Amino acid sequence: MIAPILRDTIHSQNQAVHTTNAVVMVPPVDFKFNTETSADNEFQKSLALSDVQVRGKALQEFNQMVELLRGHGVNVTVMNYSPSEGETPDAVFPNNWFSTLPNGDLYLFPMACENRRREIRPETLTEALVTSGFNAPVVLEIGSLSSPDAFLESTGVMIMDHTNGTVYAALSVRCDRKLLQEYADRAGFRDVIFFDTQMSSGAPVYHTNVMMAVGEGFAVICDEIIEEFERRRVLGSLQKTKDVVSITEEQMGHFCGNILQLQSDKGERLIAMSLSAYNAFTLEQKRVLRKHGKLVPIDVSTIETIGGGSVRCMLAENFLPQ
């Protein structure tokens, strides 16, 4: 454990801001239905399309998303990605293998599925970041990357409230409690609030970021899948500083929890989400969210249907200094 005084110092360096103007995105060059991840990802669904057709549609959605975000003043670094010796069907979701902090640290995380470990390319990522004008990061690792026996899939499983120094996490095969605490201590977060979930199928949610999002002044959460005692603890923490939007499990299935608050180059707050999520939010829920940023719906229907992840999963926040 890090001494409290040192941890508070690290926290003040890293959690000064909650939203960023910069993101990293990875094109879906190998994209298709990932049979390895489908074992615990109930959001994945196959379509009656060939792999070539799927990749074509996914790449079109990806390019349109990049242009839309750039049009709203978001700094998008596209990490050029060449296929590896083995397939990497989920490379379009880079937020699961790395995260960044304002002090220049870049953390790498152990992935649960073998074909997802092939996505971890720190040299390629560093080159893309430096080319985009960011300082070369200090690359750090949590756990074992190549042959892990425990997993922590970055901001897929950790929802970070940078403003309050808190990490929220739904425990699962992809979110190990010990690694979670190790990262929180090393990165300087003051509190870790972890909890168990159970969907109507009886299974836990595979990634916290499909059920929950935290912005500067708001939170979206599918609290009905959290056990009652833990639910009160999670909601009590969020309600201290956030407008809380509670979504149903059905809305979660439309990726209403998989959204991300960003900011434009002019400081305007934006909330990126998929078109399916936008259409599934109620008018009242959208009214609350609009108090915290312009809603930016993006059509990624092919990617979210086959990949089981949506807009937030496609965005790796870049807090690194320029």
Side-chain angles (χ1 to χ4, degrees), residues 3 10 41 52 57 60 71 82 90 105 112 128 135 148 155 161 171 175 205 213 216-217 233 238 309-310:
I10 296 173
N41 183 348
V52 173
K57 285 179 172 291
Q60 183 179 28
S82 58
D90 282 339
D105 289 346
N135 295 345
T155 53
D161 181 353
L171 298 178
C175 182
V205 69
E216 287 174 321
R233 180 166 56 93
L238 292 171
S310 190

Side-chain angles (χ1 to χ4, degrees), residues 219-244:
V220 174
I221 184 169
C222 182
D223 55 287
E224 67 181 42
I225 67 172
I226 306 175
E227 188 274 330
E228 184 177 358
F229 174 76
E230 294 183 320
R231 184 189 313 157
R232 291 199 298 268
R233 180 166 56 93
V234 173
L235 290 177
S237 175
L238 292 171
Q239 288 167 346
K240 290 177 183 177
T241 58
K242 314 289 182 187
D243 288 334
V244 177

Side-chain angles (χ1 to χ4, degrees), residues 27-314:
V29 293
D30 271 348
F31 185 73
K32 68 174 185 176
F33 187 89
N34 189 345
T35 55
E36 286 190 29
T37 57
S38 66
D40 66 344
N41 183 348
E42 297 184 14
F43 294 77
Q44 290 178 239
K45 299 177 180 66
S46 59
L47 295 175
L49 299 170
S50 69
D51 288 347
V52 173
Q53 289 174 313
V54 165
R55 288 190 184 111
K57 285 179 172 291
L59 186 59
Q60 183 179 28
E61 291 173 0
F62 175 86
N63 289 334
Q64 289 174 345
M65 180 170 166
V66 171
E67 291 308 309
L68 182 62
L69 290 173
R70 286 175 173 168
H72 280 84
V74 177
N75 183 345
V76 181
T77 295
V78 175
M79 187 182 109
N80 291 324
Y81 192 90
S82 58
S84 61
E85 294 180 5
E87 291 183 329
T88 52
D90 282 339
V92 72
F93 303 133
N95 81 307
N96 297 147
W97 62 266
F98 79 91
S99 71
T100 60
L101 293 172
N103 69 346
D105 289 346
L106 186 151
Y107 280 89
L108 305 177
F109 295 90
M111 309 279 280
C113 294
E114 184 178 354
N115 65 15
R116 295 218 62 189
R117 295 170 204 158
R118 302 178 195 136
E119 299 172 25
I120 303 174
R121 303 184 183 188
E123 295 84 4
T124 305
L125 175 59
T126 296
E127 181 181 356
L129 290 167
V130 171
T131 300
S132 295
F134 294 91
N135 295 345
V138 176
V139 179
L140 305 167
E141 298 181 9
I142 296 292
S144 170
L145 301 182
S146 58
S147 56
D149 56 9
F151 317 109
L152 187 70
E153 296 191 342
S154 189
T155 53
V157 298
M158 296 184 292
I159 307 302
M160 303 176 189
D161 181 353
H162 297 280
T163 305
N164 295 303
T166 304
V167 178
Y168 297 88
L171 298 178
S172 68
V173 170
R174 305 194 195 196
C175 182
D176 179 77
R177 182 174 167 181
K178 287 182 65 177
L179 292 180
L180 170 65
Q181 189 65 58
E182 178 189 341
Y183 171 75
D185 286 339
R186 289 175 63 179
F189 286 90
R190 287 191 290 258
D191 297 304
V192 177
I193 297 179
F194 55 85
F195 48 89
D196 293 305
T197 60
Q198 185 176 29
M199 298 185 293
S200 56
S201 65
V205 69
Y206 83 104
H207 271 167
T208 317
N209 75 0
V210 295
M211 63 163 290
M212 182 179 183
V214 170
E216 287 174 321
F218 74 91
V220 174
I221 184 169
C222 182
D223 55 287
E224 67 181 42
I225 67 172
I226 306 175
E227 188 274 330
E228 184 177 358
F229 174 76
E230 294 183 320
R231 184 189 313 157
R232 291 199 298 268
R233 180 166 56 93
V234 173
L235 290 177
S237 175
L238 292 171
Q239 288 167 346
K240 290 177 183 177
T241 58
K242 314 289 182 187
D243 288 334
V244 177
V245 175
S246 180
I247 59 173
T248 65
E249 187 173 352
E250 182 180 1
Q251 288 179 302
M252 180 180 71
H254 291 285
F255 296 99
C256 289
N258 200 241
I259 68 177
L260 181 65
Q261 187 183 39
L262 298 167
Q263 59 178 293
S264 73
D265 51 2
K266 295 180 174 60
E268 178 187 16
R269 294 311 188 255
L270 311 167
I271 304 177
M273 64 182 67
S274 72
L275 182 61
S276 62
Y278 179 84
N279 291 333
F281 277 119
T282 67
L283 291 176
E284 174 59 20
Q285 289 170 334
K286 284 187 272 197
R287 184 194 68 78
V288 174
L289 291 175
R290 284 192 177 100
K291 293 194 301 181
H292 302 280
K294 179 180 180 180
L295 306 189
V296 183
I298 307 166
D299 185 1
V300 291
S301 53
T302 305
I303 292 173
E304 67 183 0
T305 299
I306 293 176
S310 190
V311 164
R312 196 279 171 263
C313 298
M314 297 171 66

